[in-house]
Amino acid sequence: MVSNGGLAFAAAAAGAAMLAWSASRLRVGEVGALRLHWLAGGALAASAILLGLSWHAVQGVPGLLGSRMGHLALTVTAVLLLSALAAAWLHSRASQVEAGATAAWRRGAAVAMAALALLALILAAAIWRLPQDAAAMTHWPFAWRYDPDLPVSPHTWKRLWLALAQTGVAAALLVGALFARRWRIGLLALAAVLAFSASWPRPQMLLTEARSTSFQRSPLAFSDTNVLQGGRLYQAHCAGCHGAKADGRGALAASLPTWPSVLGAALFDNRPEGELHWRVAQGGGPALSASGSHAFLAVLGPDEIWQVLDYLRLQAYGTSGGTGMPAIPAPVVELACRDGRAARLSGLRGLPLRVMAHAPGAPDEPQDPRLLTVALTRGATGEVNADCVAASGEAWDAYALAAGVPSAGLAGAQFMVDRRGWLRARRLPGAAPAWTSADNVCGPGGRMENTSAGGLGDLLLAMDRAPIAVPDVRRR
């Protein structure tokens, strides 16, 4: 992912190049030697490059429109596009400059471009000064968002593409009118007619309702500590209605206006984290709503709501095996490694891992040079044949939640974690050996596929050949 420093450098380079051009052109004697068409092309290319870098820096359209870094990056891109348009317009007018006005026209063109260059440099400095979390989504500015799983009819798509084409032609005519020496009024009128007559489909036919927090992600580490704290908060504030196992069968369920929802795997299917956070925080209002949902923002802080959601997410994975769910990261735990290479599980990113719940007295698993083995011991004493050991009870309990078994029944379970830290497969106690038919394998789309691997070698190859294409924003 591109850092804010890299983005600031790209913006500063474009601004500095424009400023250098402006300074050099002040010494040019002929208007035609200003090379404005070269400047227009360079500014246009710089805006395209900067937009591409910004896209990667803030991870797509939501970040561009809803984060501080995205806003500044779009502003710099707009300045560069304006510079390209201004240079092209000045180039089209250069041949009309009278001989006596050459020097004044040249200075005016150079000063105008220098002003835009300085603005780009100021914005680059602002990007440089942004904090490291400036790429995080802060606010989605629209009432609608695109949902790739929303069924859209072919007629609606056709109507959308026709409207886009019509609007694109109108924009091209508008730009042409700026450079035209004749028919300018006609081009402007035709552009206006095309733009206002475009028949756009209703938003409900293409988009789904959004919240201001729709694209926000948890700022917390997906760790054993946070997950288990979320479990304690859930049992204290939510289990009375939704049930201790999030099955909608709490002690108070029958007294509510409507039966509480099941907070299982379906909760996380096609529902952004930020919208779930908003739903928990806002609920149905300050009192119990008609849907039977409380607003918990006055009871739980924003981070505590994220912890509850992480707990529910890991519990849903354990109960369902992850079927139909987006991928989840392996819970980060404290480690003690033989060679001291890492103090936390997240420090082993870049290597495939096997996390196993050590069963005292059971024969040791043979070591495999293709991966690192992390043993969960829950404070058990004795020598463990593993590269790293997680001895805390919290680590054990978090992975018991991921296995969907009580803590007392976790011994013997194993989990496969890919190089990016995602849970890719699990083998429950008593399952078939050698990672075969009893395994759930998470595919590259980030969803459990209920497929099988033909042994450990095939599983490792599958994880490397088809990595999960989901931005990793919780690396701690």
Side-chain angles (χ1 to χ4, degrees):
M1 189 174 69
V2 181
S3 66
N4 57 338
L7 196 60
F9 177 80
M18 289 171 54
L19 194 61
W21 177 92
S22 301
S24 65
R25 294 304 97 179
L26 286 173
R27 297 189 295 271
V28 175
E30 297 294 332
V31 172
L34 287 176
R35 306 295 184 190
L36 284 162
H37 57 294
W38 288 104
L39 176 62
L44 187 62
S47 65
I49 293 172
L50 189 64
L51 186 61
L53 292 175
S54 305
W55 179 283
H56 287 286
V58 298
Q59 301 175 6
V61 172
L64 282 174
L65 298 178
S67 68
R68 288 176 291 172
M69 183 184 291
H71 295 160
L72 282 174
L74 285 178
T75 304
V76 178
T77 302
V79 168
L80 293 176
L81 285 174
L82 180 61
S83 302
L85 189 61
W89 184 83
L90 289 170
H91 177 69
S92 69
R93 293 292 182 269
S95 61
Q96 302 176 23
V97 178
E98 298 179 0
T102 299
W105 194 93
R106 184 182 70 245
R107 285 194 298 271
V111 169
M113 301 311 300
L116 291 171
L118 286 173
L119 181 56
L121 288 172
I122 292 171
L123 292 170
I127 294 175
W128 176 266
R129 293 176 60 85
L130 285 174
Q132 291 299 317
D133 63 348
M137 182 70 191
T138 56
H139 178 81
W140 179 246
F142 304 109
W144 304 92
R145 65 174 177 86
Y146 176 66
D147 183 355
D149 294 327
L150 185 70
V152 179
S153 69
H155 172 74
T156 301
W157 281 119
K158 180 179 179 181
R159 186 176 171 187
L160 174 65
W161 289 117
L162 286 175
L164 286 172
Q166 192 170 334
T167 305
V169 172
L173 290 174
L174 180 62
V175 173
L178 296 177
F179 298 93
R181 300 176 185 177
R182 302 171 61 183
W183 310 107
R184 178 174 298 172
I185 301 299
L187 290 174
L188 288 174
L190 184 56
V193 169
L194 287 174
F196 286 106
S197 64
S199 178
W200 295 92
R202 290 182 301 167
Q204 297 92 326
M205 301 176 70
L206 288 163
L207 307 172
T208 190
E209 189 177 3
R211 308 294 180 186
S212 61
T213 61
S214 285
F215 292 97
Q216 288 184 7
R217 293 177 180 265
S218 172
L220 306 178
F222 195 79
S223 66
D224 53 353
T225 302
N226 284 325
V227 166
L228 296 180
Q229 175 61 16
R232 289 187 284 269
L233 292 169
Y234 174 84
Q235 298 300 331
H237 299 285
C238 313
C241 297
H242 292 280
K245 297 182 179 180
D247 55 5
R249 299 180 180 181
L252 303 176
S255 64
L256 300 177
T258 58
W259 204 266
S261 57
V262 176
L263 306 179
L267 180 70
F268 299 93
D269 183 25
N270 195 32
R271 287 177 174 85
E273 287 184 77
E275 288 189 5
L276 292 175
H277 189 280
W278 183 91
R279 181 61 62 186
V280 175
Q282 302 300 327
L288 196 65
S289 70
S291 65
S293 175
H294 274 102
F296 280 101
L297 191 58
V299 180
L300 301 175
D303 285 352
E304 291 177 321
I305 294 176
W306 286 122
Q307 289 173 329
V308 170
L309 289 173
D310 282 345
Y311 164 76
L312 290 172
R313 188 180 179 190
L314 189 60
Q315 179 177 257
Y317 171 86
T319 303
S320 67
T323 302
M325 287 183 62
I328 66 170
V332 175
V333 298
E334 301 289 339
L335 298 177
C337 296
R338 289 176 178 174
D339 54 5
R341 70 170 69 201
R344 292 171 65 82
L345 191 74
S346 54
L348 299 176
R349 299 285 168 85
L351 298 168
L353 308 177
R354 174 175 57 188
V355 179
M356 64 177 190
H358 175 66
D364 289 332
E365 286 279 343
Q367 293 295 297
D368 193 304
R370 296 171 294 181
L371 49 74
L372 291 182
T373 299
V374 175
L376 308 172
T377 63
R378 196 167 53 172
T381 58
E383 187 69 21
V384 179
N385 186 23
D387 298 288
C388 301
V389 172
S392 71
E394 286 190 332
W396 184 278
D397 292 341
Y399 278 88
L401 198 62
V405 299
S407 293
L410 181 64
Q414 296 190 25
F415 303 85
M416 290 299 300
V417 182
D418 69 12
R419 299 177 188 273
R420 298 185 179 184
W422 297 103
L423 273 178
R424 295 298 293 267
R426 70 178 189 181
R427 195 176 86 199
L428 300 182
W435 298 97
T436 53
S437 60
D439 309 321
N440 288 311
V441 181
C442 186
R447 294 178 182 271
M448 301 302 290
E449 297 179 342
N450 279 335
T451 56
S452 300
L456 181 59
D458 283 355
L459 180 56
L460 291 172
L461 286 174
M463 292 194 303
D464 284 342
R465 288 174 179 170
I468 292 177
V470 178
D472 183 6
V473 295
R474 304 174 68 179
R475 296 187 60 87
R476 290 172 291 173

